[in-house]
Amino acid sequence: MARSARRSAMALAASAVALGLLLSGCAGSASSAPAATTSQADIDKAMTTPTTITFWTSNKLQDEVDLFEKKYPAITVNLVDSGSGTDYYTKLRSAIKAGNGAPDVAQIEYHHMPSFILQGSLDDLTPYGAADVKDKFATFAWNQVATDKGIYGIPQDTGPLGLLYRNDIFAASNIKAPTTWDEFATDAAIIHAANPSQYIANISPSNASATMGLFWQAGAQPFSYDGDKTVSINLDSPEMVKVAEYWQKLVQAGTVSTDPDFTDQWYQGLASGRYASWVSAAWGPLFLQGTAADTAGKWTASTLPQWAAGENKSGSVGGSANAVISTTANPIPSAVFAEFLNSDPESTLTMGTKQFLFPAAKATLANPAFTDQPVEFFGGQKINELFSQISPTVNPDFQWLPFMDPVFDSYNATFGKALTDKTSLTDALTEWQKQVVDYATSQGFTVK
């Protein structure tokens, strides 16, 4: 425990230094705030004036960029494959801090949005009419980019959660897709008793984002952020404890595995049948087709098990928005581009059917050209239709803190370690809460 505490403290200290550097670098880095309103005449003039804007993203969106440039021939988009992950965000933040070299528009994952808002790195898109497109997007996705103080991005893709399960393993045990978590626990025991090398599912000690999706579905609201310096942190709330106590029983019974995910062992587990199901986001079915190609036809997708019979609730894992960086010299074409890319029906349909991003745009979620596609790997099941139906069931009120990297580091050292060591998950929640509150306070945040 002492070793874990030291490792956790070191991780949080490193994150504190990083955040401190970011905060110190934000002063004076942002461009002047946009006017309270931007007239249609100003927008028309900007969109007909020859301009080049740069767009950083890891998604292959040339087709969608072509559609935009066809509609707005005066605007050229320099599409840059930015990469992803920690290196990408370090590069983006460094460019913003330097005041040059940053893109006009950037892809940012939802859980990182508050940290960029805190730094003043994102333009408020309200003056460019962003509020007018609010109803075009899934509510929970819109709430990831909009606060009481502004609209800081346009939702692009999302990750509503469902259950992917091996129909052959379930059939061999004479069980069906569980509709409640109680049924899931019963089925877990049946599957493991029939074959001790198999588990109904895996819960990862190294992927806080995935576990957060389970808390999200249970109604937990562990964080809130006012867009300035006040946060709330409730990692030991009754909803969080309920989920922890549930998985504690399965872990102690040995009916679920606790392997780190996105490792060779985990990939092999998906392909070999070690895991009979995967609590997965909407992007999981495509990932699975590449990772476990030899199991084609053996998988089925369903909604998540529910905490109470008759409920229909889900959480979300992953997804991103396109934000206009505050250093841009071209805020109007940048804002219009972000809006077009993610709300134009042809653009979002192309995104969903050619780049296989699960869209945030309601029109595409209801478009038969997207939902009616059978997926051979899943025995012809219409996977997009299922996840489009799950999308509106995601709790719309889930928020993130403006320092999620240290929160996730602390998860690994507390809740994740308890999963691996099979020690108390509720005690781990208590320690996780303490570490994150201590970190927030040390950084000058008010924790309400």
Side-chain angles (χ1 to χ4, degrees):
M1 187 65 186
R3 183 179 177 184
S4 170
R6 284 197 301 272
R7 185 168 59 245
S8 175
M10 291 173 65
L12 287 170
S15 298
V17 171
L19 182 57
L21 291 173
L22 291 172
L23 289 170
S24 65
C26 72
S29 63
S31 64
S32 299
T37 58
T38 301
S39 70
Q40 188 59 48
D42 288 339
I43 294 174
D44 292 342
K45 179 180 179 181
M47 300 310 293
T48 53
T49 300
T51 304
T52 297
I53 60 174
T54 297
F55 175 34
W56 285 8
T57 179
S58 62
N59 295 324
K60 312 299 182 186
L61 299 178
Q62 187 60 56
D63 291 333
E64 292 81 356
V65 167
D66 290 344
L67 291 171
F68 173 78
E69 291 179 335
K70 182 178 180 180
K71 182 171 182 178
Y72 299 101
I75 311 300
T76 299
V77 178
N78 177 26
L79 178 63
V80 177
D81 183 353
S82 60
S84 60
T86 301
D87 290 346
Y88 164 63
Y89 288 111
T90 299
K91 179 172 65 176
L92 179 58
R93 287 181 167 121
S94 296
I96 295 170
K97 179 182 177 183
N100 63 72
D104 300 278
V105 182
Q107 176 191 4
I108 298 177
E109 292 165 284
Y110 294 126
H111 65 269
H112 280 304
M113 291 287 294
S115 67
F116 283 90
I117 294 171
L118 172 68
Q119 298 166 47
S121 300
L122 307 182
D123 264 1
D124 177 8
L125 304 183
T126 306
Y128 314 117
D132 295 340
V133 300
K134 172 183 177 181
D135 292 339
K136 293 185 177 182
F137 296 95
T139 304
F140 81 93
W142 185 259
N143 287 351
Q144 299 287 296
V145 302
T147 74
D148 292 340
K149 298 180 179 179
I151 300 167
Y152 296 99
I154 303 296
Q156 182 162 94
D157 60 318
T158 66
L161 288 175
L163 183 71
L164 311 181
Y165 66 93
R166 284 283 297 266
N167 50 55
D168 57 331
I169 296 175
F170 274 42
S173 295
N174 196 30
I175 57 178
K176 298 179 180 179
T179 59
T180 66
W181 286 113
D182 284 343
E183 289 181 8
F184 186 88
T186 300
D187 295 345
I190 293 172
I191 288 172
H192 193 61
N195 185 344
S197 68
Q198 288 183 329
Y199 303 89
I200 193 169
N202 180 72
I203 180 168
S204 174
S206 59
N207 190 342
S209 181
T211 307
M212 201 62 78
L214 297 171
F215 293 130
W216 190 332
Q217 188 225 3
Q221 295 181 33
F223 314 120
S224 70
Y225 173 50
D226 73 344
D228 189 12
K229 295 291 285 184
T230 299
V231 299
S232 68
I233 301 166
N234 297 293
L235 289 165
D236 54 357
S237 69
E239 294 84 2
M240 299 282 288
V241 170
K242 176 177 70 174
V243 175
E245 290 179 340
Y246 173 84
W247 286 93
Q248 181 88 66
K249 292 178 182 176
L250 272 61
V251 170
Q252 293 299 135
T255 56
V256 297
S257 58
T258 56
D259 304 328
D261 57 5
F262 297 96
T263 63
D264 287 345
Q265 179 187 13
W266 184 76
Y267 299 141
Q268 292 167 10
L270 287 173
S272 68
R274 174 177 169 83
Y275 317 130
S277 72
W278 178 24
V279 174
S280 171
W283 43 263
L286 179 65
F287 174 87
L288 195 61
Q289 293 173 58
T291 302
D294 290 343
T295 61
K298 297 180 179 179
W299 291 86
T300 301
S302 71
T303 56
L304 281 184
Q306 301 294 308
W307 286 101
E311 287 185 342
N312 187 17
K313 299 178 180 178
S314 187
S316 181
V317 173
S320 61
N322 293 148
V324 175
I325 303 302
S326 56
T327 52
T328 181
N330 305 294
I332 294 177
S334 298
V336 173
F337 170 69
E339 179 183 323
F340 174 92
L341 193 69
N342 300 301
S343 66
D344 176 79
E346 188 174 359
S347 176
T348 56
L349 180 61
T350 302
M351 217 176 278
T353 57
K354 295 188 70 173
Q355 282 74 46
F356 304 109
L357 298 176
F358 193 79
K362 288 181 181 176
T364 302
L365 295 174
N367 188 337
F370 176 70
T371 59
D372 285 357
Q373 294 186 339
V375 180
E376 185 178 352
F377 184 87
F378 284 85
Q381 187 179 5
K382 296 178 181 178
I383 298 297
N384 288 341
E385 180 180 59
L386 173 69
F387 280 95
S388 293
Q389 293 167 348
I390 293 174
S391 179
T393 72
V394 176
N395 183 343
D397 297 324
F398 198 91
Q399 297 184 36
W400 304 100
L401 294 174
F403 44 84
M404 288 310 300
D405 284 344
V407 174
F408 287 169
D409 287 343
S410 183
Y411 166 89
N412 294 341
T414 57
F415 199 89
K417 186 176 188 304
L419 283 171
T420 300
D421 295 347
K422 296 182 171 52
T423 54
S424 171
L425 294 178
T426 52
D427 286 351
L429 286 180
T430 301
E431 178 61 20
W432 192 14
Q433 168 78 9
K434 179 182 181 303
Q435 291 187 6
V436 176
V437 168
D438 287 349
Y439 175 83
T441 303
S442 73
Q443 295 301 301
F445 289 96
T446 298
V447 181
K448 66 177 182 180

